[in-house]
Amino acid sequence: MPGRRIVWSATLLRKGPQPLDRTHLRYAGDETPGGELHCFVLDGSASMLGSLAQAKGWLLDSFNRLARERSEVALIRFGGDRAEVLFGPAVPRWWNERWIEPIGGGGGTPLSAGVAAAARLLARAKRAEGPQASQVRVLWLLTDGRTRDMPSKPPGVDRVVVVDCEQARIGHVAHIALRGCERLARAWAAECVRLDEIAPRV
């Protein structure tokens, strides 16, 4: 539609793993009055080391796109024995690459801690809006699903996308696909997309 700005975050969310067509397009006029908050939860465990650079590249692209759309974002990293909020909620700024690039990985996969941190953050955002809250809250979980954790879906979230980062191989070692992301997405009635489908290999 000439003269109308496409909102790519909402468009890609609607598209999912399907080929993009015009029915998926969302425009600036379609935005909700309260805007959007995109909460990204990044698995920084040792099993993610083969996918982490690709995941961070996609995160950087997403932050830059959402900054242009003036959407709020937050980023939570979990790994080892804890989860931590690295950014937001706020509109991303121009220096995103400087702090996303050094994010490292290692240790265990405290998925429940990461999801709990997201639930607290989203709940605070909802309370801050007050009784007339109209902001759409979107949760993006980037993980390979290689954990026995099966936390409950966080309350207070409008959309959930599980980004499946599981690799068939890490270096020269073949891995049996555990499909943990698919199981979690089914349990949460969430969308599940492959990282390889939405982000270029780096």
Side-chain angles (χ1 to χ4, degrees):
M1 297 180 67
R4 296 191 67 190
R5 178 172 61 83
I6 295 173
V7 180
W8 284 108
S9 57
T11 294
L12 294 175
L13 189 64
R14 175 180 284 187
K15 179 188 82 69
Q18 308 167 60
L20 180 67
D21 66 44
R22 65 178 59 193
T23 64
H24 299 131
L25 297 178
R26 296 289 302 275
Y27 296 92
D30 301 327
E31 295 172 276
T32 57
E36 295 182 346
L37 166 59
H38 294 262
C39 180
F40 297 90
V41 182
L42 174 64
D43 183 347
S45 63
S47 64
M48 277 284 292
L49 290 178
S51 302
L52 195 56
Q54 187 180 15
K56 291 193 298 185
W58 180 78
L59 276 173
L60 179 60
D61 288 345
S62 299
F63 271 49
N64 290 339
R65 182 176 64 250
L66 292 166
R68 292 191 294 270
E69 296 170 8
R70 306 300 297 168
S71 294
E72 287 191 328
V73 306
L75 176 60
I76 295 167
R77 176 200 174 275
F78 64 93
D81 59 358
R82 65 195 180 106
E84 56 185 334
V85 179
L86 300 180
F87 181 87
V91 176
R93 303 303 182 189
W94 60 269
W95 58 82
N96 296 323
E97 187 171 5
R98 295 185 182 181
W99 64 268
I100 289 179
E101 170 57 30
I103 296 173
T109 310
L111 176 59
S112 292
V115 171
R120 290 191 297 270
L121 186 147
L122 292 165
R124 286 196 300 270
K126 185 174 183 179
R127 287 196 300 270
E129 271 204 294
Q132 302 302 317
S134 59
Q135 186 181 55
V136 173
R137 285 167 290 279
V138 186
L139 176 67
W140 300 82
L141 174 61
L142 289 84
T143 181
D144 59 7
R146 301 185 78 85
T147 175
R148 294 181 180 179
D149 271 4
M150 188 60 69
S152 299
K153 177 182 176 181
V157 61
D158 298 294
R159 303 170 187 163
V160 180
V161 183
V162 179
V163 180
D164 186 350
C165 305
E166 187 174 32
Q167 293 184 306
R169 304 184 68 86
I170 298 179
H172 297 292
V173 180
H175 276 243
I176 297 173
L178 300 182
R179 304 189 183 280
C181 291
E182 294 177 15
R183 290 196 301 273
L184 183 65
R186 285 196 299 270
W188 286 7
E191 184 178 344
C192 186
V193 298
R194 291 278 309 165
L195 179 63
D196 285 339
E197 295 174 351
I198 61 175
R201 171 64 62 184
V202 297

